[in-house]
Amino acid sequence: MKFDAAARLAARPAIAYDDELPVSARRGEIAEAIRKHQVVIVCGETGSGKTTQLPKICLELGRGAHGLIGHTQPRRIAARATAARIAQELKSELGRAVGYKIRFTDRVSPDSYIKLMTDGILLAETQGDPQLRQYDTLIIDEAHERSLNIDFLLGYLKHLLRGGKNARPDLKVIVTSATLDAERFSKHFDGAPVIEVSGRLYPIEMRWRPPADNVDLAEAIVDAVDECHRNGPGDVLVFLPGEREIREAAEALRKHHPAVANTRTEILPLYARQSAQEQQRVFAPAKGRRVVLATNVAETSLTVPGIRYVVDSGLARVKRYSHRNKVELLQVEDIARSAANQRAGRCGRVMSGVCIRLFAEDDFNKRLAHTEPELLRSSLAGVILRMKSLHLGEVEDFPFLDRPQPRMVADGYQLLAELGAVEDVRRSGLSPTSAEVGLKADLQDRGSSDKELTQTGRELAKLPLDPRIGRMMLAARDGHCLREMLVIAAALSVQDPRERPQEQAGAADQAHAKWRGNEQQQRSEFLAWLNLWQAFGEVWTHESQRKQRDWCRRHFLNTLRMREWREVHAQLHTLCGEHSWRENEKPATYEQIHKALLAGLLGNVGLKSEEEGHYL
């Protein structure tokens, strides 16, 4: 992509700043640091305005003329909302001066200067553009979240800036962090300057309200919201670990909270899987009082306007991989102190705030200072696969902020070997795949491995999927059962939509039993997904949204997760189209489907013990 720098500079939109935001007061100092240094760390509390104002400071400096100003966000909802906000501030239609790109949605035009995207999108672009030539500036936002993608990007950028004939001396990198852990980022980038921006405008009163043993979370939230309402006017932001807890709290508030009976009080859920229209309600002007029930998407990525009170459950849903059981679990855990402080910082923007913590002060003091990086609690198979495809040397030598444990590295290689994605060059007698020219060759010189990607591994590296699900898709393509596997793979990529409330367990089991099908199909839980998919497909195609919801309620299914299943299926279908894979026309057999599944699940095959008559 070539850019006419002079024409782009002349056509820049008018830039204005919001002087009420703390970052605006420091913009001269920030601009000077960006001018003088290749990497700058901007550390500011939530609400300081760094996310929306930094791209405009870069644009005013003339960045975005020789390439795009790339701006990453950890979540799709934040990428889309931030792009809309910056476009509005620049008085430009979304998709023109400011665009965004998230998975399967690209709203960036040749006229764009600023491109919002998820960390995953930027990482995927390194495959075809290893030197990231389409950008002249990169802003890595919310780096303190330490997701796998953020850690990988920070290591990749250090490689890219480090030196050698293929370095990018023209590329500017700005890393933002909402916690005072910025010194780690500065050290990572060889002493890059740190600029601290204050975010909080008004004092915050901390109240500790651990619920009694016989009080559940929903009840504790009802009591806390009631306390907020007695305290005075202002909107309430409640932090909960997930969708289920949000639904339960919303139901409890509607039933029991006296103020909610007043029609001027709105209860608004906010989580990543909502549609853009549903999420937008939280940012729209309110007529009355609001209670926003949010996951940690509102902790750092988005600033919800008008919040005076925060109710913090002290919990979050965390992904954790067990190398012993080879499974990834999504479990509810206590948040770290820095995350709790982030949440508290969401009030005190409009006037003095109150944060009610549903845990004790001594419990808070015992918690971890910072959230454990995702790199240290994830399967490394996908990381190794990506590094191998980019010829970035050994995982152990890569400049991650935190070094992965050797047993997790070994586990990642073991899974890739099981999937047929890597092979030992010494044993196979094959020569390693030659590195690509440019950056990749430079990086490979720093260290090579005896294990190289196979043809299967190279294909897997191109798929933005869990390696096991990607392997099933490849096997299904070759085994003529891709149509069925798209449905099953999409089901395995989302949370189970079947619900089984304790008080109606029998009725739920009976409702779900009808998807089990005939005698042969009953041998496999996977085929129940196909039967459910077909039944819901009829309802989806021919019925209104209200009737779809009623049907799901009768059959103990979560409507939102059913919709998400369809969305993921549509995305996988698009992915297959991009790779020119053809779906089978004839229905696949039981054997074809299960052979494809086994290709990705070899480690889950049970071994029957002859002596004791059970599976190991």
Side-chain angles (χ1 to χ4, degrees), residues 388 393-394 413 423-425 432 444 447-452:
K388 289 283 177 193
E394 293 300 286
Y413 271 115
E423 63 186 348
D424 196 318
V425 177
Q444 196 176 29
S448 61
S449 170
D450 294 325
K451 292 186 175 66
E452 289 298 325

Side-chain angles (χ1 to χ4, degrees), residues 472-493:
M472 291 176 203
M473 299 268 289
L474 293 178
R477 176 200 64 186
D478 299 338
H480 310 292
C481 57
L482 187 57
R483 185 185 297 276
E484 290 81 3
M485 189 51 64
L486 284 173
V487 174
I488 296 170
L492 293 172
S493 301

